[in-house]
Amino acid sequence: DQGLQKTKESFLSKITKVIAGKSTVDEEVLDNLEEALVGADVGIDTTIQIIKRIEKRVAKDKYVGTSELGKLLQEEIAEVLVDAPDQSYRNFDVPAGKKPYVILIVGVNGVGKTTTIGKLAHNYKKAGKEVILGAADTFRAAAVDQLTIWSERVGVPIVKQAMGSDPGAVAFDTVQSAVAKGSDVVIIDTAGRLHNKAHLMEELGKIKRVIKKVIPDAPHEVLLVLDGSTGQNALEQAKQFTATTEVSALAITKLDGTAKGGVVLAIANQLQIPVKYIGVGEKIDDLLIFDKHEFVDSLFK
Ligand code: GDP
């Protein structure tokens, strides 16, 4: 968890101060904890939930001991996050009966969508899966170019069409091609311009409908990519996006080099959508599987 260094340092120093020499949950601990969590970008709503959980669990002024107190905080923080119903993503497995497994990637431009697709493709390939990419962000030439570079880097095929062509047509071609080839995983990039919400909603809706023409229960995953280094703005963006289209999982990028990693807790808690991946760098291997206990654990170490 190298990549989370800055978040850890900032969080840990705050938490350490909160529990130093403390062995009971008193008003001071709760106040300081609240301040530490908000200061670590956990956000006020999620922080209040965590504080309430702790208050409920431990009667005030009851002796618990310093290390117990640390452990208790960790547990209660982890508990405000949702788990993914299907855990097969952890090993880059395809859930039973869902081949090809179709993942639609959504998010605002610049958050790291293309990079995340490259990393995911690499991991699925490493796990022995046949992957195919679809370049359905047909509005930006750079998006198609970047995705092409990633497809070459990873060594997986890509389906694309001319700039400005219909994104739905690209998605359709990609899924059809996957079925024809017997591919395991399909990862489709989409355009992400939030300035025109109605248009975005319509376009993503169309892509989903077109995919369903080939595979009725697809897309199996709609993965929203968010830039964690923007802190609370990432949460706002996520709220806007989930109001536009149904999202089933989250990937939070750029957690390397930021002290705002606490926002992962805010986002996962406020949206009640599981975080599955975190991005901790620009390289192909800089994608981590998110585990709420490990994440919270690492913040305390
Ligand atoms: P897109 O516009 O959403 O497709 O974003 P890109 O994938 O092109 O990424 C935008 C920039 O963010 C690029 O310079 C990436 O190298 C960088 N980037 C993506 N993910 C990460 C990450 O986890 N950490 C860091 N430090 N940079 C990242």
Side-chain angles (χ1 to χ4, degrees):
D1 45 44
Q2 276 305 86
L4 296 171
Q5 213 53 39
K6 288 212 173 126
T7 294
K8 280 166 72 168
E9 279 162 18
S10 111
F11 194 79
L12 190 64
S13 64
K14 291 187 181 94
I15 290 290
T16 313
K17 278 187 203 130
V18 172
I19 54 176
K22 286 286 184 183
S23 48
T24 62
V25 179
D26 57 18
E27 211 61 62
E28 196 190 344
V29 166
L30 292 174
D31 283 351
N32 290 342
L33 179 64
E34 185 172 325
E35 202 180 303
L37 291 170
V38 172
D41 258 84
V42 175
I44 191 73
D45 295 333
T46 302
T47 295
I48 288 169
Q49 276 187 44
I50 293 169
I51 300 288
K52 279 197 180 138
R53 291 187 69 99
I54 292 166
E55 279 184 311
K56 214 169 159 187
R57 178 153 162 195
V58 190
K60 219 168 253 163
D61 299 325
K62 179 178 174 264
Y63 177 83
V64 281
T66 308
S67 71
E68 271 299 293
L69 185 57
K71 218 179 116 217
L72 194 144
L73 297 185
Q74 275 184 43
E75 282 170 16
E76 294 306 326
I77 291 172
E79 279 319 305
V80 300
L81 304 179
V82 282
D83 282 314
D86 183 335
Q87 298 282 307
S88 51
Y89 73 97
R90 289 173 176 272
N91 302 314
F92 294 95
D93 281 335
V94 170
K98 291 184 179 169
K99 179 185 162 173
Y101 188 65
V102 181
I103 307 170
L104 200 61
I105 307 289
V106 301
V108 172
N109 295 338
V111 294
K113 278 198 308 261
T114 315
T115 308
T116 303
I117 293 171
K119 291 170 176 175
L120 284 173
H122 167 67
N123 277 287
Y124 274 113
K125 196 182 173 199
K126 244 176 40 184
K129 308 296 186 294
E130 296 277 347
V131 183
I132 186 164
L133 305 183
D137 179 355
T138 59
F139 296 91
R140 295 183 302 159
V144 181
D145 292 347
Q146 281 301 312
L147 198 64
T148 304
I149 291 170
W150 274 106
S151 82
E152 285 162 4
R153 192 175 289 158
V154 177
V156 294
I158 179 169
V159 172
K160 53 187 173 182
Q161 289 182 7
M163 264 284 295
S165 58
D166 176 22
V170 178
F172 186 80
D173 276 3
T174 311
V175 177
Q176 265 206 329
S177 170
V179 171
K181 283 181 196 235
S183 309
D184 299 293
V185 181
V186 181
I187 311 176
I188 299 173
D189 189 19
T190 64
R193 298 146 308 149
L194 261 184
H195 66 259
N196 190 342
K197 229 170 141 182
H199 186 217
L200 180 70
M201 194 184 295
E202 186 188 305
E203 190 178 289
L204 290 174
K206 193 175 164 202
I207 291 175
K208 286 180 181 176
R209 282 196 300 279
V210 151
I211 291 172
K212 284 185 199 306
K213 282 189 189 165
V214 187
I215 304 169
D217 69 337
H220 305 101
E221 184 94 287
V222 179
L223 183 72
L224 173 62
V225 182
L226 296 164
D227 178 347
S229 72
T230 62
Q232 294 298 304
N233 288 336
L235 174 59
E236 280 317 304
Q237 207 171 77
K239 283 181 179 167
Q240 288 190 45
F241 230 100
T242 50
T244 306
T245 197
E246 205 177 305
V247 170
S248 61
L250 305 169
I252 303 180
T253 65
K254 308 189 197 183
L255 290 175
D256 52 305
T258 179
K260 296 179 176 171
V263 75
V264 171
L265 304 179
I267 293 169
N269 168 251
Q270 294 295 301
L271 300 179
Q272 290 291 300
I273 297 173
V275 177
K276 289 194 173 173
Y277 314 98
I278 56 178
V280 292
E282 299 182 272
K283 301 218 174 63
I284 202 161
D285 282 311
D286 295 333
L287 186 79
L288 302 179
I289 297 288
F290 181 77
D291 179 288
K292 65 181 186 180
H293 296 290
E294 269 173 33
F295 183 78
V296 174
D297 243 36
S298 75
L299 295 180
F300 279 79
K301 264 179 203 145

